Amino acid sequence: VSIKGKNFFAVEDSLICRFIHDQGRIETSIGIVFGSLVRCEVPRFPRGKVSVHVVTNDSINEESNELFLEISEQLSFPAPRLKTFAIEPYDVTNENVYISGFEPTQVTGDSCFRLILRVENLYSHPANCSIGDTLVQVESSWITGSVACLTCRQELSNSNYSVGVVLGDGSIILAPTKLNVFPIEFGSAGPLVGPIGGGTRIHVSGKGFRNWNGRLFCYFGSDNNVAEVVDDSNIKCNSTPSFESISRSSLTVPFYVAPASVNEISTTMSFTYHYPEEINSIFPRAGFGGTLVTISGSGFLVSRGYRCRFGEMMTNAIRISDDKIMCIAPSLKPSAVPVSITNNEVDFVEAGSFLYFHELSIVSAFLQGPPRTTVKVQLGHNIESLGNERKEKNIAPPS
Protein backbone atom coordinates (compact mmCIF):
# COMPACT_ATOMS: atom_id res chain seq x y z
CA VAL A 1 0.00 0.00 0.00
CA SER A 2 1.07 3.59 -0.60
CA ILE A 3 0.60 6.14 2.16
CA LYS A 4 0.76 9.86 1.44
CA GLY A 5 1.96 12.40 3.97
CA LYS A 6 4.88 14.80 4.44
CA ASN A 7 8.35 15.13 6.01
CA PHE A 8 9.09 11.43 5.56
CA PHE A 9 12.69 12.16 4.52
CA ALA A 10 13.44 13.69 7.93
CA VAL A 11 13.16 10.30 9.68
CA GLU A 12 13.71 7.98 6.71
CA ASP A 13 16.06 5.54 8.48
CA SER A 14 13.70 4.85 11.39
CA LEU A 15 10.26 4.73 9.72
CA ILE A 16 8.02 1.67 10.01
CA CYS A 17 4.40 0.87 9.15
CA ARG A 18 2.17 -0.24 12.02
CA PHE A 19 -1.00 -2.24 11.29
CA ILE A 20 -3.53 -2.63 14.14
CA HIS A 21 -6.22 -5.32 13.84
CA ASP A 22 -8.65 -6.90 16.26
CA GLN A 23 -6.32 -9.91 16.29
CA GLY A 24 -3.22 -7.86 17.24
CA ARG A 25 -0.60 -5.41 16.05
CA ILE A 26 2.07 -6.05 13.38
CA GLU A 27 4.85 -3.72 12.23
CA THR A 28 6.56 -3.92 8.81
CA SER A 29 9.48 -2.04 7.32
CA ILE A 30 9.16 0.77 4.82
CA GLY A 31 9.99 -0.29 1.27
CA ILE A 32 10.12 2.92 -0.75
CA VAL A 33 10.40 6.40 0.74
CA PHE A 34 9.76 9.76 -0.87
CA GLY A 35 9.29 13.10 0.81
CA SER A 36 5.51 12.74 0.71
CA LEU A 37 5.00 9.01 0.05
CA VAL A 38 5.90 5.70 1.72
CA ARG A 39 5.13 2.16 0.66
CA CYS A 40 4.92 -0.96 2.79
CA GLU A 41 3.59 -4.48 2.56
CA VAL A 42 0.34 -5.39 4.31
CA PRO A 43 0.74 -8.41 6.62
CA ARG A 44 -1.69 -11.33 6.47
CA PHE A 45 -4.84 -10.54 8.51
CA PRO A 46 -8.31 -12.08 8.66
CA ARG A 47 -11.06 -10.24 6.85
CA GLY A 48 -11.98 -6.98 8.56
CA LYS A 49 -10.85 -3.40 9.21
CA VAL A 50 -7.21 -2.51 9.94
CA SER A 51 -5.88 0.85 11.13
CA VAL A 52 -2.60 1.90 9.47
CA HIS A 53 0.02 4.19 11.01
CA VAL A 54 3.47 5.45 9.94
CA VAL A 55 5.69 5.80 13.00
CA THR A 56 9.34 5.75 14.01
CA ASN A 57 11.11 2.82 15.68
CA ASP A 58 11.26 4.56 19.03
CA SER A 59 7.52 5.43 19.03
CA ILE A 60 6.21 2.51 21.09
CA ASN A 61 2.71 3.76 21.79
CA GLU A 62 2.51 6.94 19.74
CA GLU A 63 0.35 6.70 16.64
CA SER A 64 0.17 8.89 13.53
CA ASN A 65 -3.05 10.09 11.92
CA GLU A 66 -5.29 7.06 11.80
CA LEU A 67 -6.01 5.57 8.36
CA PHE A 68 -8.16 2.52 7.73
CA LEU A 69 -7.66 -0.35 5.32
CA GLU A 70 -10.33 -2.95 4.51
CA ILE A 71 -9.00 -6.53 4.30
CA SER A 72 -10.92 -8.64 1.78
CA GLU A 73 -10.88 -12.36 1.07
CA GLN A 74 -7.61 -13.72 -0.36
CA LEU A 75 -7.86 -13.88 -4.13
CA SER A 76 -6.35 -16.57 -6.32
CA PHE A 77 -5.63 -16.45 -10.03
CA PRO A 78 -5.35 -19.29 -12.54
CA ALA A 79 -1.92 -19.91 -14.07
CA PRO A 80 -1.53 -18.15 -17.43
CA ARG A 81 -1.59 -20.34 -20.53
CA LEU A 82 1.66 -20.47 -22.48
CA LYS A 83 1.24 -19.36 -26.06
CA THR A 84 3.46 -20.80 -28.78
CA PHE A 85 4.44 -19.27 -32.09
CA ALA A 86 5.93 -20.88 -35.16
CA ILE A 87 9.42 -19.52 -35.98
CA GLU A 88 10.00 -18.75 -39.62
CA PRO A 89 13.62 -18.58 -40.93
CA TYR A 90 14.71 -15.07 -41.85
CA ASP A 91 16.81 -14.86 -44.95
CA VAL A 92 19.78 -12.54 -44.35
CA THR A 93 22.73 -11.65 -46.54
CA ASN A 94 26.16 -10.26 -45.76
CA GLU A 95 26.07 -7.61 -48.45
CA ASN A 96 25.73 -4.71 -45.99
CA VAL A 97 28.11 -5.93 -43.29
CA TYR A 98 31.02 -3.57 -42.55
CA ILE A 99 33.47 -2.76 -39.72
CA SER A 100 33.12 0.76 -38.31
CA GLY A 101 36.14 0.53 -35.97
CA PHE A 102 38.15 -1.62 -33.57
CA GLU A 103 40.14 -1.47 -30.31
CA PRO A 104 43.01 -1.42 -29.57
CA THR A 105 44.43 0.38 -32.58
CA GLN A 106 48.06 -0.38 -31.60
CA VAL A 107 49.78 -3.22 -29.72
CA THR A 108 53.29 -4.24 -28.69
CA GLY A 109 53.19 -7.45 -30.71
CA ASP A 110 54.49 -9.87 -28.04
CA SER A 111 51.69 -10.10 -25.47
CA CYS A 112 48.06 -11.17 -25.10
CA PHE A 113 45.41 -8.65 -26.12
CA ARG A 114 41.68 -8.75 -26.85
CA LEU A 115 40.72 -7.37 -30.27
CA ILE A 116 37.17 -5.96 -30.29
CA LEU A 117 35.67 -5.07 -33.67
CA ARG A 118 32.51 -3.01 -34.15
CA VAL A 119 30.67 -4.83 -36.95
CA GLU A 120 27.54 -3.23 -38.39
CA ASN A 121 24.58 -5.17 -39.90
CA LEU A 122 25.86 -8.45 -38.46
CA TYR A 123 23.10 -11.08 -38.27
CA SER A 124 25.12 -14.26 -37.83
CA HIS A 125 27.96 -15.50 -35.65
CA PRO A 126 31.31 -14.94 -37.43
CA ALA A 127 33.74 -17.84 -37.81
CA ASN A 128 37.04 -16.06 -37.02
CA CYS A 129 38.87 -12.79 -36.68
CA SER A 130 41.75 -12.11 -39.03
CA ILE A 131 45.01 -10.30 -38.19
CA GLY A 132 47.10 -10.13 -41.30
CA ASP A 133 47.24 -13.70 -42.66
CA THR A 134 46.47 -15.25 -39.26
CA LEU A 135 43.02 -16.43 -38.19
CA VAL A 136 42.05 -16.02 -34.51
CA GLN A 137 39.13 -17.82 -32.89
CA VAL A 138 36.12 -15.67 -32.00
CA GLU A 139 35.76 -15.40 -28.22
CA SER A 140 32.30 -13.81 -28.24
CA SER A 141 29.96 -11.84 -30.49
CA TRP A 142 26.71 -9.95 -30.07
CA ILE A 143 23.88 -9.00 -32.35
CA THR A 144 24.65 -5.42 -31.31
CA GLY A 145 27.72 -5.68 -33.54
CA SER A 146 30.70 -6.31 -31.22
CA VAL A 147 33.03 -9.18 -32.01
CA ALA A 148 35.82 -10.06 -29.56
CA CYS A 149 38.88 -12.21 -30.27
CA LEU A 150 41.63 -12.99 -27.75
CA THR A 151 45.09 -13.50 -29.22
CA CYS A 152 48.13 -14.60 -27.21
CA ARG A 153 51.81 -14.84 -28.05
CA GLN A 154 51.29 -14.07 -31.69
CA GLU A 155 54.63 -12.60 -32.76
CA LEU A 156 53.88 -9.41 -34.67
CA SER A 157 56.77 -7.40 -36.06
CA ASN A 158 57.02 -3.62 -36.29
CA SER A 159 54.46 -3.09 -39.04
CA ASN A 160 50.79 -2.51 -39.88
CA TYR A 161 48.29 -5.35 -40.17
CA SER A 162 44.85 -5.60 -41.73
CA VAL A 163 42.16 -6.80 -39.31
CA GLY A 164 38.71 -8.14 -40.02
CA VAL A 165 36.12 -10.88 -39.46
CA VAL A 166 35.54 -14.09 -41.38
CA LEU A 167 31.81 -14.74 -41.81
CA GLY A 168 30.10 -18.12 -41.92
CA ASP A 169 30.07 -18.21 -45.73
CA GLY A 170 33.87 -17.73 -45.82
CA SER A 171 33.82 -14.08 -46.87
CA ILE A 172 36.21 -11.67 -45.10
CA ILE A 173 35.18 -8.18 -44.03
CA LEU A 174 38.19 -5.92 -43.44
CA ALA A 175 38.36 -2.80 -41.26
CA PRO A 176 39.04 0.50 -43.06
CA THR A 177 42.18 1.12 -40.94
CA LYS A 178 45.07 -1.11 -39.93
CA LEU A 179 46.43 -2.34 -36.60
CA ASN A 180 49.73 -0.67 -35.70
CA VAL A 181 52.41 -2.75 -34.01
CA PHE A 182 55.07 -0.85 -32.03
CA PRO A 183 57.37 -3.26 -30.14
CA ILE A 184 58.76 -2.25 -26.74
CA GLU A 185 62.01 -3.42 -25.15
CA PHE A 186 62.59 -3.03 -21.41
CA GLY A 187 65.93 -2.66 -19.69
CA SER A 188 66.10 -1.84 -15.99
CA ALA A 189 63.70 -0.35 -13.44
CA GLY A 190 64.18 1.14 -10.01
CA PRO A 191 63.73 1.65 -7.22
CA LEU A 192 61.55 -1.41 -6.72
CA VAL A 193 60.86 -0.87 -3.02
CA GLY A 194 58.72 1.83 -1.40
CA PRO A 195 56.22 2.71 1.36
CA ILE A 196 52.67 1.35 1.38
CA GLY A 197 51.29 4.87 0.89
CA GLY A 198 52.57 4.85 -2.70
CA GLY A 199 54.15 7.76 -4.54
CA THR A 200 57.59 6.18 -5.06
CA ARG A 201 59.02 7.65 -8.27
CA ILE A 202 60.22 4.77 -10.47
CA HIS A 203 62.47 5.10 -13.52
CA VAL A 204 62.22 2.49 -16.29
CA SER A 205 64.72 2.32 -19.15
CA GLY A 206 64.27 0.56 -22.47
CA LYS A 207 63.43 1.32 -26.10
CA GLY A 208 60.36 2.12 -28.19
CA PHE A 209 58.45 4.23 -25.64
CA ARG A 210 57.88 7.29 -27.84
CA ASN A 211 55.05 5.68 -29.82
CA TRP A 212 53.15 4.96 -26.60
CA ASN A 213 52.95 8.41 -25.01
CA GLY A 214 49.88 8.49 -22.76
CA ARG A 215 49.04 4.81 -23.37
CA LEU A 216 51.52 3.01 -21.14
CA PHE A 217 50.75 2.00 -17.55
CA CYS A 218 52.92 0.83 -14.67
CA TYR A 219 51.26 -2.17 -13.02
CA PHE A 220 51.74 -2.97 -9.33
CA GLY A 221 49.94 -6.28 -9.01
CA SER A 222 46.39 -5.50 -10.19
CA ASP A 223 46.68 -1.71 -9.68
CA ASN A 224 48.20 0.69 -12.18
CA ASN A 225 49.25 4.29 -12.79
CA VAL A 226 49.78 6.12 -16.07
CA ALA A 227 53.44 6.16 -17.10
CA GLU A 228 55.12 9.43 -18.12
CA VAL A 229 57.10 8.96 -21.32
CA VAL A 230 60.27 11.07 -20.96
CA ASP A 231 61.79 10.04 -24.31
CA ASP A 232 62.07 6.94 -26.46
CA SER A 233 64.31 5.21 -23.89
CA ASN A 234 62.95 6.39 -20.52
CA ILE A 235 59.64 6.47 -18.68
CA LYS A 236 58.71 7.37 -15.10
CA CYS A 237 55.73 6.51 -12.92
CA ASN A 238 54.59 6.63 -9.30
CA SER A 239 53.77 3.54 -7.27
CA THR A 240 50.13 3.06 -6.32
CA PRO A 241 49.07 2.81 -2.66
CA SER A 242 48.86 -0.73 -1.31
CA PHE A 243 46.00 -1.63 1.01
CA GLU A 244 46.81 -5.36 1.11
CA SER A 245 49.96 -4.91 3.17
CA ILE A 246 48.23 -3.26 6.14
CA SER A 247 48.36 -6.54 8.09
CA ARG A 248 51.91 -7.39 7.03
CA SER A 249 55.33 -5.83 7.49
CA SER A 250 55.96 -5.99 3.75
CA LEU A 251 54.31 -7.21 0.55
CA THR A 252 55.86 -8.07 -2.81
CA VAL A 253 53.76 -7.80 -6.00
CA PRO A 254 54.56 -8.29 -9.72
CA PHE A 255 55.71 -5.13 -11.48
CA TYR A 256 55.56 -4.50 -15.23
CA VAL A 257 54.87 -1.79 -17.79
CA ALA A 258 52.30 -2.39 -20.54
CA PRO A 259 49.47 -0.76 -22.53
CA ALA A 260 45.96 -0.96 -21.08
CA SER A 261 44.96 -3.27 -23.95
CA VAL A 262 47.25 -6.06 -22.73
CA ASN A 263 45.38 -8.95 -21.06
CA GLU A 264 48.35 -11.01 -19.96
CA ILE A 265 52.08 -10.43 -19.65
CA SER A 266 54.96 -12.30 -18.04
CA THR A 267 57.37 -10.41 -15.83
CA THR A 268 60.42 -11.21 -13.74
CA MET A 269 60.30 -7.90 -11.85
CA SER A 270 58.55 -7.24 -8.55
CA PHE A 271 57.88 -4.29 -6.26
CA THR A 272 58.04 -4.54 -2.47
CA TYR A 273 55.79 -2.41 -0.26
CA HIS A 274 56.82 -1.74 3.34
CA TYR A 275 55.83 0.38 6.30
CA PRO A 276 57.88 3.60 6.57
CA GLU A 277 60.65 3.55 9.15
CA GLU A 278 60.02 5.34 12.45
CA ILE A 279 62.87 7.42 13.89
CA ASN A 280 63.27 7.87 17.65
CA SER A 281 66.66 9.55 18.05
CA ILE A 282 69.90 10.65 16.42
CA PHE A 283 73.20 10.65 18.35
CA PRO A 284 75.28 12.70 18.55
CA ARG A 285 73.29 15.69 17.37
CA ALA A 286 76.39 17.83 16.76
CA GLY A 287 79.98 17.44 15.63
CA PHE A 288 82.35 17.74 12.70
CA GLY A 289 82.71 16.05 9.36
CA GLY A 290 83.68 12.42 9.96
CA THR A 291 81.57 12.05 13.12
CA LEU A 292 79.97 8.59 13.41
CA VAL A 293 76.21 9.17 13.76
CA THR A 294 73.79 6.54 15.11
CA ILE A 295 70.09 6.74 14.14
CA SER A 296 67.71 4.67 16.27
CA GLY A 297 64.09 3.76 15.57
CA SER A 298 62.14 0.80 14.20
CA GLY A 299 61.24 -0.89 10.93
CA PHE A 300 64.67 -0.82 9.27
CA LEU A 301 64.53 -3.33 6.41
CA VAL A 302 67.18 -5.94 5.69
CA SER A 303 68.75 -3.91 2.91
CA ARG A 304 72.13 -2.70 1.70
CA GLY A 305 70.50 0.33 0.11
CA TYR A 306 70.27 2.55 3.20
CA ARG A 307 71.80 6.01 2.95
CA CYS A 308 71.82 9.11 5.14
CA ARG A 309 71.30 12.61 3.81
CA PHE A 310 72.85 15.58 5.63
CA GLY A 311 71.35 18.68 4.07
CA GLU A 312 71.72 17.89 0.36
CA MET A 313 74.74 15.58 0.69
CA MET A 314 74.29 11.79 0.68
CA THR A 315 76.48 9.32 2.55
CA ASN A 316 76.40 5.53 2.85
CA ALA A 317 74.78 3.93 5.88
CA ILE A 318 75.08 0.53 7.52
CA ARG A 319 72.06 -1.28 8.95
CA ILE A 320 73.06 -2.63 12.35
CA SER A 321 69.69 -4.12 13.36
CA ASP A 322 65.93 -3.67 12.95
CA ASP A 323 66.14 -0.57 15.14
CA LYS A 324 69.53 0.99 14.34
CA ILE A 325 71.61 2.26 11.42
CA MET A 326 74.92 4.16 11.44
CA CYS A 327 76.52 6.60 9.00
CA ILE A 328 79.43 9.05 8.91
CA ALA A 329 78.62 12.75 8.71
CA PRO A 330 80.13 14.33 5.58
CA SER A 331 82.18 17.54 5.82
CA LEU A 332 79.95 20.61 5.61
CA LYS A 333 80.17 24.27 6.63
CA PRO A 334 79.22 25.15 10.21
CA SER A 335 75.41 25.18 10.38
CA ALA A 336 72.44 23.07 11.44
CA VAL A 337 71.30 20.75 8.64
CA PRO A 338 68.33 18.35 8.42
CA VAL A 339 69.13 14.64 8.48
CA SER A 340 67.02 11.97 6.77
CA ILE A 341 67.37 8.35 5.75
CA THR A 342 66.31 6.37 2.68
CA ASN A 343 66.44 2.79 1.45
CA ASN A 344 65.77 3.61 -2.21
CA GLU A 345 67.24 7.15 -2.67
CA VAL A 346 63.75 8.38 -3.57
CA ASP A 347 61.60 8.20 -0.42
CA PHE A 348 63.13 9.86 2.65
CA VAL A 349 62.20 9.72 6.34
CA GLU A 350 63.22 12.71 8.46
CA ALA A 351 65.52 11.80 11.35
CA GLY A 352 66.17 15.20 12.94
CA SER A 353 68.98 17.75 12.57
CA PHE A 354 72.77 17.79 12.98
CA LEU A 355 74.78 20.84 14.09
CA TYR A 356 78.16 21.31 12.46
CA PHE A 357 80.76 23.03 14.68
CA HIS A 358 83.46 25.36 13.45
CA GLU A 359 86.64 23.41 12.87
CA LEU A 360 88.94 24.21 15.82
CA SER A 361 92.73 24.37 15.51
CA ILE A 362 95.73 25.43 17.62
CA VAL A 363 97.75 28.10 15.82
CA SER A 364 100.45 28.51 18.48
CA ALA A 365 101.18 27.80 22.14
CA PHE A 366 103.80 29.36 24.44
CA LEU A 367 104.78 26.94 27.17
CA GLN A 368 106.75 27.98 30.27
CA GLY A 369 107.61 25.77 33.20
CA PRO A 370 110.10 23.27 34.58
CA PRO A 371 111.41 20.46 32.37
CA ARG A 372 109.06 17.54 31.55
CA THR A 373 105.96 19.70 32.03
CA THR A 374 103.06 18.14 30.08
CA VAL A 375 100.23 20.35 28.80
CA LYS A 376 96.99 18.80 27.45
CA VAL A 377 94.64 20.78 25.24
CA GLN A 378 91.14 19.29 24.83
CA LEU A 379 89.02 20.28 21.82
CA GLY A 380 85.70 18.50 21.82
CA HIS A 381 86.52 14.78 21.63
CA ASN A 382 90.11 15.41 20.44
CA ILE A 383 93.00 15.50 22.95
CA GLU A 384 96.42 16.68 21.85
CA SER A 385 99.48 16.29 24.13
CA LEU A 386 102.08 19.00 23.69
CA GLY A 387 105.74 18.34 24.42
CA ASN A 388 107.94 19.83 27.17
CA GLU A 389 109.86 22.34 25.09
CA ARG A 390 109.99 25.87 26.50
CA LYS A 391 109.43 27.74 23.29
CA GLU A 392 106.66 28.83 20.95
CA LYS A 393 105.53 25.92 18.79
CA ASN A 394 103.26 25.83 15.75
CA ILE A 395 100.91 22.86 15.83
CA ALA A 396 98.84 21.56 12.90
CA PRO A 397 95.05 21.35 13.36
CA PRO A 398 93.81 18.05 14.78
CA SER A 399 92.74 15.49 12.18
Side-chain angles (χ1 to χ4, degrees):
V1 292
S2 298
I3 303 172
K4 291 183 179 181
K6 63 181 179 178
N7 298 330
F8 290 144
F9 270 141
V11 286
E12 173 183 355
D13 294 336
S14 61
L15 281 180
I16 57 174
C17 282
R18 179 174 294 161
F19 296 86
I20 301 177
H21 187 269
D22 291 340
Q23 304 295 323
R25 185 176 75 176
I26 297 180
E27 295 170 348
T28 62
S29 59
I30 298 292
I32 301 176
V33 180
F34 297 96
S36 58
L37 179 72
V38 296
R39 292 180 182 173
C40 49
E41 185 176 347
V42 179
R44 290 185 176 272
F45 281 116
R47 182 176 179 177
K49 185 178 291 187
V50 176
S51 65
V52 184
H53 309 267
V54 177
V55 296
T56 58
N57 285 328
D58 53 1
S59 301
I60 299 177
N61 298 313
E62 179 184 352
E63 309 295 352
S64 64
N65 295 337
E66 193 171 34
L67 306 173
F68 292 97
L69 179 68
E70 196 71 33
I71 303 295
S72 62
E73 297 289 347
Q74 298 293 328
L75 302 180
S76 60
F77 300 90
R81 295 183 60 186
L82 179 66
K83 296 182 179 180
T84 59
F85 299 88
I87 300 177
E88 298 290 337
Y90 181 67
D91 185 23
V92 297
T93 62
N94 297 321
E95 296 179 359
N96 298 321
V97 178
Y98 69 95
I99 297 175
S100 60
F102 62 89
E103 289 290 339
T105 57
Q106 66 182 54
V107 295
T108 60
D110 60 350
S111 57
C112 294
F113 66 94
R114 179 174 283 104
L115 180 67
I116 300 179
L117 301 103
R118 294 187 295 274
V119 187
E120 309 297 333
N121 302 322
L122 180 66
Y123 297 104
S124 60
H125 188 73
N128 297 100
C129 294
S130 66
I131 302 177
D133 298 329
T134 304
L135 297 182
V136 181
Q137 185 177 358
V138 172
E139 184 182 36
S140 57
S141 65
W142 296 269
I143 298 301
T144 53
S146 294
V147 176
C149 300
L150 181 64
T151 174
C152 281
R153 304 291 175 253
Q154 180 180 348
E155 297 295 334
L156 301 175
S157 60
N158 189 0
S159 183
N160 300 324
Y161 292 82
S162 299
V163 297
V165 291
V166 182
L167 303 180
D169 59 5
S171 60
I172 300 178
I173 308 298
L174 296 178
T177 57
K178 293 186 176 182
L179 175 68
N180 296 316
V181 178
F182 298 125
I184 296 177
E185 295 181 13
F186 294 101
S188 60
L192 292 177
V193 60
I196 61 173
T200 300
R201 191 70 165 166
I202 299 171
H203 171 253
V204 181
S205 64
K207 186 170 65 175
F209 299 143
R210 193 184 306 277
N211 293 317
W212 292 92
N213 191 18
R215 300 189 180 188
L216 283 180
F217 294 82
C218 290
Y219 286 83
F220 302 83
S222 58
D223 298 325
N224 65 74
N225 263 344
V226 178
E228 173 192 345
V229 176
V230 179
D231 53 39
D232 195 60
S233 304
N234 299 278
I235 60 176
K236 293 184 177 182
C237 57
N238 294 333
S239 64
T240 60
S242 172
F243 301 103
E244 297 182 45
S245 59
I246 291 177
S247 59
R248 314 179 191 179
S249 59
S250 64
L251 174 71
T252 299
V253 297
F255 170 78
Y256 60 93
V257 180
S261 58
V262 170
N263 287 76
E264 178 185 336
I265 194 168
S266 59
T267 177
T268 58
M269 293 187 290
S270 60
F271 186 88
T272 299
Y273 289 99
H274 68 89
Y275 281 100
E277 298 85 350
E278 294 185 4
I279 308 301
N280 296 331
S281 65
I282 175 173
F283 179 83
R285 302 183 63 88
F288 308 94
T291 300
L292 184 62
V293 178
T294 300
I295 298 175
S296 302
S298 61
F300 297 123
L301 301 177
V302 179
S303 171
R304 296 182 178 179
Y306 273 107
R307 304 196 73 190
C308 295
R309 184 173 65 181
F310 290 76
E312 298 298 325
M313 186 170 292
M314 302 279 285
T315 182
N316 292 330
I318 299 176
R319 177 186 179 273
I320 305 301
S321 62
D322 292 345
D323 57 2
K324 185 182 297 184
I325 64 171
M326 302 179 74
C327 52
I328 297 177
S331 296
L332 293 175
K333 294 181 179 180
S335 63
V337 298
V339 180
S340 56
I341 65 168
T342 179
N343 59 26
N344 61 11
E345 298 191 24
V346 174
D347 303 300
F348 289 84
V349 177
E350 295 297 327
S353 61
F354 186 83
L355 176 62
Y356 278 89
F357 292 140
H358 287 273
E359 291 287 347
L360 301 180
S361 63
I362 299 176
V363 177
S364 64
F366 180 77
L367 307 180
Q368 186 174 7
R372 305 188 64 81
T373 297
T374 301
V375 179
K376 292 184 179 180
V377 180
Q378 182 173 340
L379 303 175
H381 297 283
N382 300 310
I383 298 178
E384 292 291 335
S385 294
L386 305 183
N388 56 3
E389 299 184 22
R390 296 187 180 182
K391 63 179 181 179
E392 185 174 298
K393 183 177 181 179
N394 291 327
I395 302 173
S399 60

